Amino acid sequence: MKHLMHFGALFALAATRKSKRFVRLSPNRSGKIFIFDKRNKEIFHVHARENIDSVTADQIFAKNDYDLRFLKRYPEILDHYRYILSTGRNPLIIDCGANIGLSAYYFSREFPESRIVAVEPEVNNFTMIKKNCDGLGNIDFKNAAIGSVDGFATIDDSGSKNNAFRTSRTDSGKGAIPILSIDTILSENTDLVPFIVKIDIEGFEDDLFSRNTGWVAKVPLLIAETHDWMLPGQANSRNFLRAISNEDRDFVHRGENIFSISNDYPK
């Protein structure tokens, strides 16, 4: 009953507010979840295995975790997206910690002319990315972790919920997965223009921002979830804060995410 009441409240909010683009139509917590896109006037569906995947769908499509319209600089960001297209190139979005692909799906609908690189280390989640994003021709899938330098990693806590897997560096060997750096992804996509980097990597941002952070200055919009709340006493956000504080960027905190916006890109 509590679940149905929660679904009903989100449905009513999304259906009645013009600012809400997506309306979740189905209350089920596994299987196909149907969603109405009010802007395009069409229904699509995503796949969930269990409740935590359903929660992720709500975060992205009902609660609008990555909707940029709350930002005063949103018109400017949208203009920059159009500016990139006007040059004959495509914007690049890197989704670090893509989970089951719903954030990549969201960005694909919001910025359909972009190319999206979806990076996810956990193999079962990665399988779900390909299932959820099947048919979207602008998403590249990488079964890998993201870090400061290329290397290898293992999944530390295989018993965690599907949205909370953590990684740590290791030597190459059985069970290891590749680590890609942002620089490597950028070097593989030199025909594209950096636009957005979204980061939700369950504490591994400590590694990502520990060195080789020159790429930050190239990215107009950085969206990051930090995890000091999950890792008390470790100053896990220190490297991230150091990296962005050295740049000329705005810092906007909303919900679980920090939105770091460059003040030095073509406007």
Side-chain angles (χ1 to χ4, degrees), residues 121-138:
E122 205 279 324
V123 65
N124 293 314
N125 283 346
F126 184 72
T127 299
M128 288 295 291
I129 294 177
K130 293 192 287 185
K131 187 175 183 178
N132 278 319
C133 298
D134 182 45
L136 297 177
N138 64 336

Side-chain angles (χ1 to χ4, degrees), residues 132-241:
N132 278 319
C133 298
D134 182 45
L136 297 177
N138 64 336
I139 301 178
D140 296 329
F141 311 111
K142 301 284 188 181
N143 186 196
I146 199 85
S148 57
V149 294
D150 294 354
F152 296 94
T154 56
I155 302 291
D156 288 343
D157 40 10
S158 58
S160 294
K161 293 180 180 180
N162 294 324
N163 66 345
F165 291 110
R166 298 193 59 219
T167 55
S168 62
R169 284 192 177 270
T170 186
D171 294 330
S172 175
K174 185 178 179 180
I177 54 176
I179 296 176
L180 300 176
S181 67
I182 299 289
D183 285 339
T184 291
I185 293 175
L186 292 178
S187 70
E188 292 174 348
N189 295 277
T190 55
D191 57 323
L192 305 175
V193 179
F195 180 48
I196 296 173
V197 174
K198 167 253 170 182
I199 301 165
D200 184 2
I201 52 178
E202 305 305 316
F204 205 59
E205 59 268 21
D206 178 51
D207 180 282
L208 174 61
F209 290 97
S210 62
R211 49 185 165 165
N212 299 326
T213 58
W215 59 268
V216 172
K218 303 174 185 177
V219 178
L221 177 61
L222 178 62
I223 307 171
E225 179 178 340
T226 56
H227 292 87
D228 289 320
W229 62 270
M230 186 176 72
L231 303 165
Q234 298 184 30
N236 189 260
S237 297
R238 175 171 48 200
N239 291 335
F240 166 69
L241 295 172

Side-chain angles (χ1 to χ4, degrees), residues 79-125:
D79 283 346
H80 185 60
Y81 169 75
R82 293 166 177 159
Y83 165 77
I84 295 172
L85 296 177
S86 74
T87 67
R89 302 173 74 186
N90 294 89
L92 172 64
I93 298 174
I94 306 176
D95 187 348
C96 307
N99 190 242
I100 62 172
L102 302 190
S103 48
Y105 195 112
Y106 179 89
F107 286 127
S108 179
R109 282 187 168 262
E110 283 291 299
F111 303 106
E113 300 300 321
S114 64
R115 292 293 303 180
I116 301 165
V117 178
V119 186
E120 170 58 38
E122 205 279 324
V123 65
N124 293 314
N125 283 346

